[in-house]
Amino acid sequence: MKYIKDGKMCTLPESAGLGAEQRLLRLEAEREIRDILHHYTRCVDRGDMEGIASCYTGDGCFYPSDRSDPIRGRQAILAVFAKLMDPNVKTSAHYITNQQVHFESESEATVFACFYANKSFAGGRTDELTCGGYELRVLREEDGEWRIKSHKCFFTRQDGSLSGRFGEQKERPWPPFPEYRR
Protein backbone atom coordinates (compact mmCIF):
# COMPACT_ATOMS: atom_id res chain seq x y z
CA MET A 1 0.00 0.00 0.00
CA LYS A 2 1.37 3.41 -0.93
CA TYR A 3 1.28 6.72 0.92
CA ILE A 4 2.80 10.18 0.51
CA LYS A 5 5.70 11.43 2.64
CA ASP A 6 7.46 14.72 1.97
CA GLY A 7 5.75 14.94 -1.43
CA LYS A 8 6.99 11.50 -2.54
CA MET A 9 5.10 8.25 -2.97
CA CYS A 10 6.34 5.62 -0.51
CA THR A 11 5.48 2.04 0.38
CA LEU A 12 4.15 1.34 3.84
CA PRO A 13 6.75 -0.81 5.57
CA GLU A 14 5.50 -4.30 6.27
CA SER A 15 7.75 -6.96 4.81
CA ALA A 16 11.29 -5.70 5.37
CA GLY A 17 13.48 -8.58 6.44
CA LEU A 18 11.05 -11.33 5.46
CA GLY A 19 12.59 -14.43 3.93
CA ALA A 20 11.37 -16.09 0.72
CA GLU A 21 9.09 -18.54 2.55
CA GLN A 22 7.54 -15.75 4.62
CA ARG A 23 6.96 -13.64 1.48
CA LEU A 24 5.26 -16.60 -0.20
CA LEU A 25 3.01 -17.09 2.84
CA ARG A 26 2.19 -13.38 2.73
CA LEU A 27 1.21 -13.65 -0.96
CA GLU A 28 -1.06 -16.60 -0.18
CA ALA A 29 -2.63 -14.66 2.69
CA GLU A 30 -3.19 -11.67 0.40
CA ARG A 31 -5.03 -13.89 -2.10
CA GLU A 32 -7.18 -15.32 0.70
CA ILE A 33 -7.98 -11.80 1.90
CA ARG A 34 -8.98 -10.67 -1.59
CA ASP A 35 -11.24 -13.72 -1.81
CA ILE A 36 -13.23 -12.40 1.16
CA LEU A 37 -14.43 -9.47 -0.96
CA HIS A 38 -15.21 -11.75 -3.90
CA HIS A 39 -17.29 -13.99 -1.62
CA TYR A 40 -18.97 -10.98 0.02
CA THR A 41 -20.01 -9.37 -3.29
CA ARG A 42 -21.21 -12.67 -4.76
CA CYS A 43 -23.40 -13.18 -1.69
CA VAL A 44 -24.76 -9.62 -1.92
CA ASP A 45 -25.60 -10.15 -5.60
CA ARG A 46 -27.40 -13.42 -4.79
CA GLY A 47 -29.24 -11.99 -1.78
CA ASP A 48 -27.53 -14.53 0.49
CA MET A 49 -27.60 -12.83 3.91
CA GLU A 50 -26.08 -15.81 5.74
CA GLY A 51 -23.23 -15.84 3.23
CA ILE A 52 -22.66 -12.12 3.81
CA ALA A 53 -22.62 -12.58 7.60
CA SER A 54 -20.19 -15.50 7.27
CA CYS A 55 -17.53 -13.04 6.06
CA TYR A 56 -17.35 -11.38 9.49
CA THR A 57 -15.80 -12.36 12.80
CA GLY A 58 -18.34 -13.16 15.50
CA ASP A 59 -17.86 -9.67 16.94
CA GLY A 60 -17.24 -7.95 13.59
CA CYS A 61 -18.47 -4.42 12.83
CA PHE A 62 -20.18 -3.08 9.71
CA TYR A 63 -20.34 0.68 9.15
CA PRO A 64 -22.82 1.40 6.32
CA SER A 65 -21.48 4.99 6.19
CA ASP A 66 -19.36 7.50 8.07
CA ARG A 67 -22.56 8.88 9.56
CA SER A 68 -23.78 5.61 11.03
CA ASP A 69 -23.04 3.78 14.23
CA PRO A 70 -21.46 0.37 13.74
CA ILE A 71 -23.58 -2.73 13.49
CA ARG A 72 -21.75 -5.09 15.84
CA GLY A 73 -21.73 -8.87 15.73
CA ARG A 74 -22.42 -11.42 13.01
CA GLN A 75 -26.10 -11.84 14.00
CA ALA A 76 -26.75 -8.07 13.96
CA ILE A 77 -25.02 -7.82 10.56
CA LEU A 78 -27.23 -10.66 9.27
CA ALA A 79 -30.32 -8.81 10.54
CA VAL A 80 -29.36 -5.46 8.98
CA PHE A 81 -28.63 -7.01 5.58
CA ALA A 82 -31.98 -8.80 5.72
CA LYS A 83 -33.56 -5.33 6.04
CA LEU A 84 -31.31 -3.65 3.45
CA MET A 85 -31.80 -6.23 0.70
CA ASP A 86 -34.65 -5.14 -1.57
CA PRO A 87 -36.83 -8.17 -2.44
CA ASN A 88 -37.63 -6.59 -5.83
CA VAL A 89 -34.05 -6.85 -7.15
CA LYS A 90 -34.07 -8.61 -10.53
CA THR A 91 -30.34 -8.40 -11.24
CA SER A 92 -27.35 -7.33 -9.19
CA ALA A 93 -23.67 -7.22 -10.12
CA HIS A 94 -20.78 -5.96 -8.00
CA TYR A 95 -17.29 -5.46 -9.38
CA ILE A 96 -14.32 -5.14 -7.02
CA THR A 97 -11.20 -3.29 -8.18
CA ASN A 98 -8.02 -1.62 -6.92
CA GLN A 99 -7.65 -3.94 -3.95
CA GLN A 100 -4.76 -3.05 -1.70
CA VAL A 101 -3.71 -5.05 1.34
CA HIS A 102 -1.40 -3.85 4.10
CA PHE A 103 -0.37 -6.34 6.76
CA GLU A 104 -0.33 -4.97 10.28
CA SER A 105 0.89 -8.37 11.54
CA GLU A 106 0.77 -12.01 10.50
CA SER A 107 -2.89 -12.17 11.56
CA GLU A 108 -4.24 -8.67 10.84
CA ALA A 109 -4.43 -6.54 7.71
CA THR A 110 -5.99 -3.33 6.44
CA VAL A 111 -7.73 -3.57 3.06
CA PHE A 112 -8.91 -0.90 0.63
CA ALA A 113 -10.97 -1.70 -2.47
CA CYS A 114 -13.15 0.17 -4.93
CA PHE A 115 -16.49 -1.19 -6.07
CA TYR A 116 -19.00 -0.62 -8.83
CA ALA A 117 -22.48 -2.06 -8.44
CA ASN A 118 -25.50 -2.11 -10.73
CA LYS A 119 -28.99 -3.33 -9.82
CA SER A 120 -32.24 -3.60 -11.71
CA PHE A 121 -35.63 -3.94 -10.04
CA ALA A 122 -39.04 -5.41 -10.74
CA GLY A 123 -42.03 -3.09 -10.57
CA GLY A 124 -40.68 -0.17 -12.58
CA ARG A 125 -38.12 1.22 -10.12
CA THR A 126 -35.19 2.94 -11.81
CA ASP A 127 -31.97 0.94 -12.11
CA GLU A 128 -29.39 1.73 -9.45
CA LEU A 129 -25.72 2.47 -10.11
CA THR A 130 -23.39 2.80 -7.14
CA CYS A 131 -19.64 3.41 -7.04
CA GLY A 132 -17.55 3.64 -3.92
CA GLY A 133 -15.11 1.86 -1.72
CA TYR A 134 -14.58 -0.49 1.15
CA GLU A 135 -12.15 -0.04 4.01
CA LEU A 136 -11.68 -3.18 6.06
CA ARG A 137 -9.70 -4.59 8.91
CA VAL A 138 -9.40 -8.35 8.54
CA LEU A 139 -8.16 -10.92 11.05
CA ARG A 140 -6.92 -14.48 10.68
CA GLU A 141 -8.99 -16.40 13.19
CA GLU A 142 -8.00 -19.53 15.11
CA ASP A 143 -9.40 -21.78 12.38
CA GLY A 144 -6.93 -20.20 9.92
CA GLU A 145 -9.60 -18.30 7.94
CA TRP A 146 -9.41 -14.57 7.32
CA ARG A 147 -12.61 -12.71 8.22
CA ILE A 148 -13.73 -9.11 8.43
CA LYS A 149 -13.38 -7.46 11.84
CA SER A 150 -14.39 -4.00 10.61
CA HIS A 151 -15.98 -2.96 7.30
CA LYS A 152 -16.60 0.63 6.35
CA CYS A 153 -18.48 1.43 3.15
CA PHE A 154 -18.41 4.80 1.37
CA PHE A 155 -20.05 5.98 -1.85
CA THR A 156 -18.51 8.20 -4.49
CA ARG A 157 -21.64 8.16 -6.65
CA GLN A 158 -25.10 6.70 -6.42
CA ASP A 159 -27.72 7.10 -9.13
CA GLY A 160 -31.28 5.76 -8.98
CA SER A 161 -31.06 5.09 -5.25
CA LEU A 162 -33.45 6.30 -2.63
CA SER A 163 -30.53 7.47 -0.44
CA GLY A 164 -28.67 9.58 -3.04
CA ARG A 165 -25.26 9.32 -1.35
CA PHE A 166 -22.21 10.66 -3.19
CA GLY A 167 -18.82 12.31 -2.73
CA GLU A 168 -17.97 10.41 0.47
CA GLN A 169 -14.41 9.71 -0.74
CA LYS A 170 -13.32 13.28 -0.05
CA GLU A 171 -11.29 13.97 3.09
CA ARG A 172 -10.92 10.25 3.86
CA PRO A 173 -7.80 9.36 5.86
CA TRP A 174 -5.01 7.56 4.07
CA PRO A 175 -4.01 4.90 4.69
CA PRO A 176 -7.56 3.91 5.60
CA PHE A 177 -8.36 3.50 9.25
CA PRO A 178 -11.33 1.22 9.88
CA GLU A 179 -13.19 2.39 12.94
CA TYR A 180 -13.21 -0.56 15.27
CA ARG A 181 -9.89 0.49 16.83
CA ARG A 182 -11.17 3.88 17.97
Side-chain angles (χ1 to χ4, degrees), residues 29-79:
E30 187 174 323
R31 181 191 51 79
E32 291 170 9
I33 290 167
R34 290 172 191 247
D35 282 349
I36 295 169
L37 283 171
H38 299 147
H39 177 77
Y40 169 83
T41 57
R42 183 179 66 247
C43 291
V44 169
D45 289 339
R46 295 175 63 210
D48 178 359
M49 275 68 76
E50 286 188 39
I52 294 166
S54 76
C55 297
Y56 294 86
T57 62
D59 62 347
C61 299
F62 173 64
Y63 298 81
S65 76
D66 287 331
R67 299 179 300 265
S68 64
D69 291 329
I71 291 100
R72 294 185 185 277
R74 190 178 291 137
Q75 291 306 311
I77 292 168
L78 176 67

Side-chain angles (χ1 to χ4, degrees), residues 10 85 120 142 158 167:
C10 303
M85 303 299 270
S120 65
E142 288 182 17
Q158 192 174 42

Side-chain angles (χ1 to χ4, degrees), residues 5 22 31 41 59 76 98 103-104 106 114 119 122 132 137:
K5 181 179 179 183
Q22 291 171 311
R31 181 191 51 79
T41 57
D59 62 347
N98 301 8
F103 289 90
E104 307 289 339
E106 294 303 313
C114 295
K119 293 180 184 176
R137 182 84 58 190

Side-chain angles (χ1 to χ4, degrees), residues 4 13 23 25 28 41 43 46 59 63-64 67-68 71 74 86 101-102 104 112 116 119 128 130 138 168 170 174 178:
I4 298 170
R23 288 194 311 269
L25 291 172
E28 288 175 349
T41 57
C43 291
R46 295 175 63 210
D59 62 347
Y63 298 81
R67 299 179 300 265
S68 64
I71 291 100
R74 190 178 291 137
D86 187 324
V101 177
H102 172 69
E104 307 289 339
F112 174 84
Y116 169 90
K119 293 180 184 176
E128 185 177 291
T130 305
V138 297
E168 296 173 356
K170 304 207 184 252
W174 190 259

